[in-house]
């Protein structure tokens, strides 16, 4: 199966997948992603909070948490190691691919759904939450794990497997 799935595929497989709403807005944007999730999301979707599921031992925003922290957070969302996961956001710009990459970097076999923004009107409902066990482990080649950046850089750029991360 492709890593990209359509809204039609998702509608046909709603009961076979774990769905993750990865919606997030830039700090200057007045919209509230969590409020949007509470108002409307795909049936069964859980909300992945990019601000909360992050490494809080650094002042840098949205850094990858440790495998143990990530595992606990993802497991608490009801996502288990054997699940097929579909990740979406409302704008289709960057937050769903970011969460998809985080899952892949921790060893998960996830999917990314495109075109969901238009499908939300059809797929509105409240979702449930069932805790599950997920044990994350870093997949070498998808993430460069650093405990600190060299001093004096200002900016750091790490490129791995075609993914580029600009660390501010």
């Amino acid at each position: 199966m492709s890593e990209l799935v359509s809204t039609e595929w998702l509608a046909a497989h709603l009961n076979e997948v774990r769905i993750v709403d990865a919606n997030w807005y830039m700090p200057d944007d007045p919209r509230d992603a969590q409020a949007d999730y509470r108002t409307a999301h795909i049936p069964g979707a859980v909300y992945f909070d990019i601000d909360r599921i992050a490494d809080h031992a650094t002042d840098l925003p949205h850094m990858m948490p440790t495998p143990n922290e990530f595992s606990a957070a993802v497991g608490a969302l009801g996502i288990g190691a054997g699940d097929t996961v579909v990740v979406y956001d409302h704008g289709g710009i960057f937050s769903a691919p970011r969460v998809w990459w985080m899952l892949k970097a921790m060893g998960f076999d996830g999917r990314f759904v495109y075109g969901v923004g238009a499908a939300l009107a059809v797929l509105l409902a409240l979702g449930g939450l069932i805790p599950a066990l997920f044990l994350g482990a870093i997949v070498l080649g998808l993430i460069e794990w650093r405990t600190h950046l060299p001093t004096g850089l200002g900016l750091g750029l790490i490129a791995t497997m075609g993914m580029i991360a600009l660390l501010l």
Side-chain angles (χ1 to χ4, degrees):
M1 175 204 289
S2 169
E3 300 220 9
L4 292 175
V5 296
S6 68
T7 54
E8 293 79 14
W9 182 94
L10 178 58
H13 296 88
L14 274 178
N15 296 324
E16 303 164 22
V17 298
R18 295 295 297 154
I19 304 167
V20 174
D21 183 320
N23 204 40
W24 184 82
Y25 300 117
M26 296 296 287
D28 294 359
D29 194 316
R31 295 176 293 176
D32 180 338
Q34 290 183 23
D36 287 352
Y37 168 78
R38 288 187 298 271
T39 301
H41 59 267
I42 294 175
V46 295
Y47 182 71
F48 189 106
D49 187 341
I50 292 175
D51 290 319
R52 189 182 64 75
I53 304 174
D55 180 359
H56 296 285
T58 177
D59 291 338
L60 300 171
H62 311 126
M63 294 295 103
M64 182 71 87
T66 67
N68 287 341
E69 292 168 334
F70 189 82
S71 296
V74 170
L77 292 176
I79 299 170
D83 292 334
T84 296
V85 177
V86 174
V87 182
Y88 76 95
D89 63 39
H90 300 200
I93 298 174
F94 62 87
S95 56
R98 166 60 189 241
V99 170
W100 169 85
W101 172 79
M102 290 175 77
L103 287 162
K104 294 291 280 187
M106 288 290 180
F108 206 86
D109 182 26
R111 306 284 183 249
F112 172 69
V113 64
Y114 62 91
V116 172
L120 279 174
V122 177
L123 298 172
L124 297 180
L126 296 176
L129 178 62
I130 302 169
L133 178 62
F134 175 77
L135 299 175
I138 293 174
V139 176
L140 296 178
L142 287 180
I143 186 169
E144 172 92 15
W145 198 263
R146 301 279 178 130
T147 56
H148 67 282
L149 291 175
T151 57
L153 282 180
L155 295 178
L157 187 63
I158 298 172
T160 143
M161 296 291 290
M163 298 291 295
I164 298 177
L166 181 62
L167 306 176
L168 300 174

